[in-house]
């Protein structure tokens, strides 16, 4: 009984402090209700944005799938072939222009060399 009389004032003082400290620690370990509500609203907003993006991607994918499934028509192939031939013609004209420039430079170099050798 003597131990109880000595320990009781210490226990009655420390026990509420320990319980209060434990409750404060637990309160800091978990989010508050307002924080959870704000987080839920942000998640809902992000989901809505991603759903819109996903819908846009889905429509593009379906269009691409339809385009890939359909065989090319004769007109489409002719259009593509004409575009390729136009590009090839442009490249050939560019190469001819470079050839002409090189020919002109060669003539100038020959003229300079022949004039330099004469002197």
């Amino acid at each position: 009984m003597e131990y109880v009389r000595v320990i009781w004032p210490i226990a009655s003082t420390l026990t509420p402090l320990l319980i209060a400290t434990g409750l404060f620690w637990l309160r800091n370990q978990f989010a508050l209700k307002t924080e959870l509500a704000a987080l839920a609203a942000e998640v809902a907003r992000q989901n809505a944005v991603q759903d819109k993006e996903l819908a846009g991607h889905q429509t593009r994918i379906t269009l691409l799938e339809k385009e890939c499934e359909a065989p090319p028509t004769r007109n489409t192939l002719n259009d593509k072939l004409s575009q390729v031939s136009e590009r090839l013609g442009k490249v050939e004209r560019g190469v001819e222009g470079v050839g002409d420039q090189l020919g002109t430079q060669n003539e100038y170099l020959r003229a300079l060399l022949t004039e330099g050798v004469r002197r």
Side-chain angles (χ1 to χ4, degrees):
M1 202 55 163
E2 186 65 30
Y3 290 117
V4 173
R5 281 189 216 156
V6 172
I7 294 175
W8 179 253
I10 297 170
S12 65
T13 305
L14 289 179
T15 303
L17 289 175
L18 290 174
I19 291 173
T21 305
L23 288 174
F24 183 72
W25 180 79
L26 281 174
R27 182 173 180 255
N28 288 333
Q29 294 299 313
F30 300 104
L32 297 176
K33 195 173 190 181
T34 56
E35 293 172 347
L36 289 176
L39 185 62
E42 179 65 22
V43 168
R45 188 185 66 77
Q46 288 291 334
N47 283 341
V49 169
Q50 288 179 351
D51 287 343
K52 288 179 184 177
E53 289 177 1
L54 182 63
H57 293 313
Q58 288 294 339
T59 55
R60 288 187 213 131
I61 288 172
T62 54
L63 289 173
L64 288 173
E65 285 176 346
K66 287 179 184 178
E67 186 177 320
C68 289
E69 289 174 359
T73 61
R74 175 176 255 161
N75 291 335
T76 307
L77 289 176
N78 284 336
D79 290 342
K80 300 277 185 184
L81 189 59
S82 66
Q83 290 174 358
V84 169
S85 64
E86 286 176 17
R87 290 181 186 167
L88 187 59
K90 290 178 184 178
V91 169
E92 288 175 349
R93 284 191 296 275
V95 169
E96 288 173 0
V98 170
D100 292 342
Q101 287 178 351
L102 286 176
T104 304
Q105 287 179 354
N106 283 339
E107 289 175 14
Y108 286 146
L109 286 175
R110 281 187 189 148
L112 286 174
L113 288 174
T114 55
E115 287 295 319
V117 170
R118 288 184 190 165
R119 291 187 180 186

